[in-house]
Amino acid sequence: GFDRALLKIAEDYSERVNYEYGYIETNDFVIEKKYDMIILTEVFEHFALNPVNTMKKIKNALKDGGRIVFSTPDHGHVHIWKNWQEMPSSDDVTLEEYFALTRCGHAYQYTKDELLDIFARVGLKVEKYARTETGHHNFLLS
């Protein structure tokens, strides 16, 4: 299925497709390269730490004129925080505590207004927005 299709794309365009592996939310994770496009789909809701610093890292990994394709489920899932501002930063947790938080599944699901607030704090511009019939926020960000 989908995994095979992604592998095929990565094979066919190996000089243009890069992967970044690691725990992007932690302070130790640094993105060295710059990208024309970053695809961040169905991942954001799994971030266990306050998303502002992580999104700043992602934004800083864009080349001038680069874009982020972003998709995440709409709010409604029972999550472990009252609001995203309560989520700890990487400085507030040990690596062991961070790993425990990542095991909870969807740490937080965001409303459109919450996402717009986070993007504004990071300095990302919303170029396009659509909400799917299945309740997912889809953004094109720059």
Side-chain angles (χ1 to χ4, degrees):
F2 186 70
D3 289 340
R4 282 195 317 269
L6 288 177
L7 288 173
K8 176 88 171 106
I9 290 168
E11 267 179 32
D12 291 350
Y13 300 97
S14 61
E15 71 283 353
R16 296 174 53 197
V17 175
N18 296 293
Y19 297 96
E20 294 281 350
Y21 293 102
Y23 302 103
I24 192 170
E25 294 182 274
T26 64
N27 289 335
D28 295 336
F29 189 90
V30 177
I31 302 172
E32 304 271 336
K33 292 185 172 185
K34 296 284 186 177
Y35 297 96
D36 295 311
M37 179 176 287
I38 296 173
I39 300 171
L40 189 67
T41 63
E42 311 313 310
V43 174
F44 197 69
E45 67 275 8
H46 296 277
F47 287 175
L49 302 179
N50 187 299
V52 171
N53 285 337
T54 303
M55 288 305 293
K56 284 181 182 177
K57 283 184 197 181
I58 292 168
K59 177 186 181 267
N60 289 335
L62 286 176
K63 290 181 181 177
D64 288 342
R67 304 284 187 277
I68 298 172
V69 176
F70 180 99
S71 176
T72 191
D74 197 352
H75 74 290
H77 177 79
V78 176
H79 36 67
I80 59 177
W81 312 106
K82 273 189 208 171
N83 59 61
W84 68 267
Q85 292 96 334
E86 289 184 350
M87 297 171 83
S89 74
S90 186
D91 294 330
D92 298 332
V93 296
T94 65
L95 198 55
E96 183 177 296
E97 292 168 330
Y98 169 68
F99 290 141
L101 288 171
T102 63
R103 287 193 291 272
C104 71
H106 289 191
Y108 194 84
Q109 284 184 231
Y110 300 80
T111 66
K112 179 183 178 186
D113 288 340
E114 288 174 320
L115 292 167
L116 292 172
D117 181 25
I118 292 165
F119 300 152
R121 291 173 190 236
V122 172
L124 286 165
K125 177 185 169 198
V126 175
E127 291 191 17
K128 291 184 183 179
Y129 171 78
R131 187 175 184 280
T132 67
E133 292 176 13
T134 56
H136 287 73
H137 300 291
N138 293 316
F139 288 91
L140 180 62
L141 305 167
S142 59

